[in-house]
Amino acid sequence: MSRRTERVNELLRDHISTVLARDINDPRIDGIVTITAVETSRDLAHARIWVSVAGEQEDAQRTLQGLRSASGFLQRGLMRLGLRRTPELNFVIDDTIARADRINQLLDSVSPGEQPSGLANGEKRGKH
């Protein structure tokens, strides 16, 4: 990824986060919504916006619907940034936090003295 693309991604992330906090009043977009990353295409025609939503899966889907509904408003707001082209926005749920939580739950469910299945007599994973 070029330095220019990285700067545009960061600019879009900051701008969309600010607009969401200040100017969007859609009741579907409530609670803690975080723009975790932005990935723009090389030609800046498309931007994938990764969104993390605190709460249940239903909350995330409802928020995603609200964001998709507001995408035109958000895209028009990008014109103020002085970009030659304003990308089409595509919102995607970032489930990294939920997956990490699930992994932690699985790790916590294993007793400290218990060995993972398939390993016996102190065998270690990796090369033998």
Side-chain angles (χ1 to χ4, degrees), residues 3-19 35 37-38 40 44 49 77-85 87:
R3 180 69 184 133
R4 177 178 179 263
T5 304
E6 288 177 20
R7 286 193 329 255
V8 168
N9 289 344
E10 190 64 26
L11 182 67
L12 292 176
R13 189 182 69 75
D14 290 344
H15 179 75
I16 293 170
S17 294
T18 301
V19 171
I35 305 298
V38 175
T40 53
L44 301 180
I49 316 297
L78 295 177
M79 291 179 195
R80 290 182 266 172
L81 299 177
L83 299 173
R84 270 187 243 150
R85 170 182 265 167

Side-chain angles (χ1 to χ4, degrees), residues 10-52:
E10 190 64 26
L11 182 67
L12 292 176
R13 189 182 69 75
D14 290 344
H15 179 75
I16 293 170
S17 294
T18 301
V19 171
L20 282 176
R22 267 192 340 209
D23 301 328
I24 301 292
N25 295 320
D26 190 319
R28 294 173 290 187
I29 305 171
D30 65 344
I32 300 173
V33 179
T34 306
I35 305 298
T36 57
V38 175
E39 295 175 359
T40 53
S41 61
R42 210 177 271 210
D43 62 357
L44 301 180
H46 304 280
R48 180 174 289 152
I49 316 297
W50 296 92
V51 181
S52 176

